[in-house]
Amino acid sequence: MSNIMEINNRKTFAIISHPDAGKTTLTEKLLLFSGAIKIAGAVKSNKIKKAAASDFLEIEKQRGISVATSVLSFNYNDHKINLLDTPGHKDFAEDTYRTLTAVDSVILVIDCVKGVEEQTEKLMQVCRMRNTPVMIFINKLDREGKDPVELLDELESKLSIKVRPLTYPLGMGYQFRGVYNIYKNSFDFYSVNKTKIEDDVVVFEGLQDKGLDDKFGTDAQKLRHDVELIDGIYENFSIEEYLNGNLAPVFFGSAINNFGVKELLDTFIEIAPSPTNREITNGTVKPVDKNFSGFVFKIHSNLDPKHRDRIAFLRVCSGKFERNKFYLHVRLNRQLKFANPASFMAQSKSLLEEAFPGDVIGLYDSGIFNIGDTLTEGEGFMFKGIPRFSPEVFRIVRNTDPFKSKQMEKGIQHLTDEGLAQLFVQNYGNKKVVGVVGELQFDVLKYRLLNEYGASIDFVTMPAYKAFWLKYENKNDIQDLLNIRSHSLYNDKNGNLVFIADTDFSLKMAMDKNPNVKFLSSIEHNDQTILMGDVA
Ligand code: GDP
């Protein structure tokens, strides 16, 4: 098959949702429909429901499984689908944001009882930043939920995206009868847990078809009224608007009952984007470009504690990746070849000979990759748009076993490479501070340092409000910070200068006194402009 055909064949996406909306269930049903798995219950959820370390430890024991489910590749109707898994727990949201940089579209799952929830809003903000095309699946229609029109309004107002329902439900909960496909004028009848994965669909000649009255009796009027209302309110569906990330098609269903899933999947195959262009430091890379290129968006350390190996997950962006061929690791300016790259089909990992744009490959890594690293066939560019957000909680790291300092240093180095936490070292001292998005990450860091590196640490709380990367033209711009506020200045892993404000007031003061400095709450992994070198 030619490269172009391989590219057009592929769809790389993620399913996102607030925990419990039904992401794992939908993932499983997609795999069932595609034939990639045979029985329900095969997809292990790698999410953590409660914010407790003990839950994570249990998950850790299953790390092999969670890695295998990091990427699920399967075939459906002659397409190769790469589904990238994202952690459900909000404390690991950064991992999700990074994964979203590697997909071409997303499916957002909403619980019809709960509507748009906090985590949904945050995830959608990230999608909106990148104009990622979004499809919405409103789940759990077998339960008494919010009114569909109300849900659609809520989606538009809270997620700042236009929506267009492509199906519309008749009834809900006990009264749920099924969904009407607005464009195909067909009705898909609902039954509890459809055991055969096939449609029970009746096609009508439009809304005025008398058949509707035969099938639904008095409900037919309601259905006509609802669908006409929807057609009146919402503009016609435009694939182009969807692909630009401005308009989200909406489907209704019940994942656990296999209902509405096939419709979603079929439309997804039809309209979701194939691998798209990617921005680089000096232009754009197109999937059809002849030369191979790709970037690392996720790193998983110590899969097997006995071997200390890590896997770097690389998204192929252009050309063709081949096993045992030399590629340039741009940041290190080093030629590397990979003897054992892994691919992920359904739930198993296997050796890969070649990969095409849209594919995700696992590269065994002895510690040479950072998130955002680029591989090319020799060109010196880096991929852009891989964000690093300012952490929200900070703690000082205290080594509680002086004989294990080296192990601690190494462990912290590796685990922060992985993106589990961010490390800041005080500019004038040697105080080490780790910053995370959610408290649970501290527990995980401590646990993994002990179990994987034999290092024992404690955390000391510190007054910290927010952290900002500092952008400035020359050293004079930061004189006040260096002279008066040096205790709040830190260096991140790349040597960028960071201001950790202890209060809102101290932040305002610092900003007032340093008008030529930009205080940034997020930067890109490969942002070179911010590197200011040694200021101490
Ligand atoms: P995730 O946290 O988003 O991955 O959610 P899960 O897929 O684990 O689902 C959370 C809960 O909702 C589980 O108990 C599911 O069985 C249940 N669930 C998923 N889909 C449906 C549905 O269509 N209807 C109902 N009633 N429950 C569902």
Side-chain angles (χ1 to χ4, degrees):
M1 211 188 286
S2 72
N3 267 26
I4 293 186
M5 282 173 78
E6 294 281 1
I7 294 163
N8 290 340
N9 244 357
R10 278 164 169 74
K11 310 270 180 192
T12 300
F13 79 112
I15 303 181
I16 54 175
S17 75
H18 189 90
D20 270 349
K23 181 166 76 82
T24 312
T25 312
L26 181 65
T27 303
E28 178 162 289
K29 300 302 169 147
L30 293 179
L31 292 178
L32 273 173
F33 274 92
S34 72
I37 57 169
K38 296 283 177 284
I39 43 156
V43 175
K44 288 273 182 302
S45 157
N46 74 347
K47 63 181 172 244
I48 308 152
K49 296 250 170 188
K50 284 170 255 127
S54 58
D55 291 329
F56 183 83
L57 308 192
E58 206 31 58
I59 303 287
E60 275 300 291
K61 288 188 196 141
Q62 305 177 7
R63 284 198 108 209
I65 295 165
S66 74
V67 167
T69 56
S70 288
V71 188
L72 295 163
S73 297
F74 56 95
N75 294 314
Y76 182 74
N77 281 358
D78 296 334
H79 285 274
K80 182 173 178 203
I81 301 185
N82 298 312
L83 169 52
L84 275 50
D85 193 24
T86 54
H89 198 287
K90 70 171 172 32
D91 284 9
F92 297 99
E94 262 213 87
D95 198 20
T96 301
Y97 301 155
R98 284 192 293 264
T99 300
L100 291 180
T101 65
V103 301
D104 298 303
S105 70
V106 304
I107 292 180
L108 168 66
V109 185
I110 302 278
D111 180 335
C112 75
V113 183
K114 302 212 172 114
V116 173
E117 297 173 83
E118 185 197 342
Q119 192 64 5
T120 324
E121 286 186 56
K122 289 210 178 125
L123 291 166
M124 272 297 286
Q125 276 169 12
V126 178
C127 294
R128 305 289 294 136
M129 270 160 61
R130 309 172 50 80
N131 294 327
T132 309
V134 180
M135 254 181 211
I136 300 177
F137 184 72
I138 299 187
N139 192 25
K140 307 197 185 180
L141 264 283
D142 57 315
R143 297 183 57 194
E144 221 52 69
K146 296 186 181 181
D147 178 70
V149 174
E150 201 185 306
L151 279 167
L152 293 167
D153 279 351
E154 196 178 319
L155 288 171
E156 288 204 325
S157 63
K158 289 197 177 163
L159 304 181
S160 11
I161 189 164
K162 287 191 288 177
V163 299
R164 188 11 155 152
L166 298 191
T167 66
Y168 199 77
L170 181 59
M172 247 189 192
Y174 287 122
Q175 258 91 49
F176 184 42
R177 302 198 58 182
V179 295
Y180 191 79
N181 187 315
I182 297 174
Y183 281 85
K184 293 189 180 145
N185 283 313
S186 57
F187 195 87
D188 189 358
F189 284 90
Y190 169 71
S191 62
V192 177
N193 200 6
K194 286 189 167 187
T195 41
K196 276 193 220 137
I197 302 174
E198 60 191 30
D199 288 342
D200 185 7
V201 180
V202 182
V203 182
F204 298 99
E205 309 251 315
L207 278 174
Q208 300 317 321
D209 191 330
K210 286 273 174 293
L212 239 67
D213 302 283
D214 300 341
K215 279 276 178 200
F216 301 109
T218 48
D219 277 348
Q221 266 323 91
K222 176 170 168 34
L223 187 63
R224 285 190 183 109
H225 171 264
D226 284 353
V227 174
E228 275 167 5
L229 185 78
I230 291 293
D231 276 340
I233 301 175
Y234 297 99
E235 287 167 28
N236 267 344
F237 177 64
S238 145
I239 295 186
E240 205 183 320
E241 285 279 275
Y242 156 70
L243 292 174
N244 291 336
N246 296 325
L247 177 69
V250 180
F251 295 84
F252 292 85
S254 169
I256 198 135
N257 290 301
N258 301 329
F259 187 77
V261 177
K262 189 167 184 298
E263 225 140 18
L264 175 78
L265 186 56
D266 286 342
T267 312
F268 174 82
I269 288 295
E270 206 180 311
I271 67 171
S274 295
T276 41
N277 295 350
R278 303 263 148 186
E279 271 188 60
I280 52 171
T281 38
N282 56 353
T284 311
V285 156
K286 297 194 189 77
V288 291
D289 289 349
K290 198 171 148 285
N291 287 347
F292 158 77
S293 68
F295 68 91
V296 172
F297 64 94
K298 179 176 176 139
I299 293 174
H300 232 301
S301 303
N302 305 334
L303 301 173
D304 176 356
K306 283 185 225 106
H307 291 105
R308 278 259 173 283
D309 52 356
R310 323 202 285 188
I311 286 193
F313 291 85
L314 178 131
R315 144 108 196 194
V316 180
C317 297
S318 65
K320 178 163 126 181
F321 172 91
E322 289 171 73
R323 187 165 86 91
N324 274 330
K325 189 169 167 183
F326 275 100
Y327 293 114
L328 176 68
H329 182 313
V330 176
R331 183 177 54 86
L332 300 181
N333 194 18
R334 238 171 92 184
Q335 293 284 339
L336 301 168
K337 66 174 180 172
F338 302 90
N340 299 305
S343 71
F344 307 87
M345 276 311 273
Q347 295 195 284
S348 57
K349 205 163 78 209
S350 54
L351 189 70
L352 161 148
E353 292 296 336
E354 55 183 29
F356 296 90
D359 286 345
V360 171
I361 55 186
L363 301 175
Y364 284 94
D365 164 25
S366 52
I368 48 166
F369 284 117
N370 285 349
I371 286 162
D373 276 346
T374 301
L375 286 184
T376 68
E377 282 194 32
E379 295 101 317
F381 62 78
M382 301 280 268
F383 282 91
K384 293 204 330 191
I386 305 149
R388 194 136 58 97
F389 294 95
S390 152
E392 287 162 25
V393 206
F394 303 84
R395 298 256 197 286
I396 299 162
V397 180
R398 199 167 61 91
N399 186 1
T400 54
D401 183 351
F403 294 109
K404 295 282 169 63
S405 300
K406 272 208 178 117
Q407 285 87 334
M408 183 194 84
E409 297 281 341
K410 189 167 161 192
I412 289 187
Q413 193 69 32
H414 284 177
L415 297 176
T416 49
D417 280 352
E418 211 181 288
L420 177 61
Q422 294 188 50
L423 177 69
F424 304 100
V425 181
Q426 205 173 24
N427 199 38
Y428 275 114
N430 203 19
K431 201 194 281 173
K432 283 193 176 58
V433 168
V434 284
V436 297
V437 174
E439 301 265 350
L440 186 52
Q441 286 169 282
F442 288 126
D443 295 338
V444 175
L445 186 62
K446 188 170 169 175
Y447 171 84
R448 290 188 59 187
L449 278 172
L450 187 63
N451 282 273
E452 294 165 23
Y453 299 89
S456 163
I457 59 157
D458 246 345
F459 294 110
V460 182
T461 49
M462 64 180 275
Y465 166 66
K466 271 180 187 163
F468 295 88
W469 283 275
L470 302 178
K471 193 169 180 177
Y472 52 95
E473 294 293 322
N474 61 57
K475 212 168 154 178
N476 288 339
D477 294 340
I478 54 164
Q479 272 319 312
D480 163 86
L481 285 161
L482 290 174
N483 295 340
I484 318 268
R485 286 162 242 280
S486 64
H487 62 282
S488 298
L489 291 183
Y490 291 79
N491 286 106
D492 75 1
K493 283 185 73 163
N494 302 338
N496 298 320
L497 203 58
V498 175
F499 180 75
I500 304 186
D502 36 17
T503 59
D504 184 24
F505 178 74
S506 64
L507 173 64
K508 284 202 182 101
M509 284 293 287
M511 286 173 150
D512 274 357
K513 300 280 177 199
N514 297 277
N516 295 329
V517 178
K518 285 204 176 103
F519 289 68
L520 307 174
S521 59
S522 75
I523 60 166
E524 291 206 357
H525 274 273
N526 294 326
D527 197 337
Q528 300 295 322
T529 57
I530 196 152
L531 279 176
M532 287 299 144
D534 188 13
V535 291

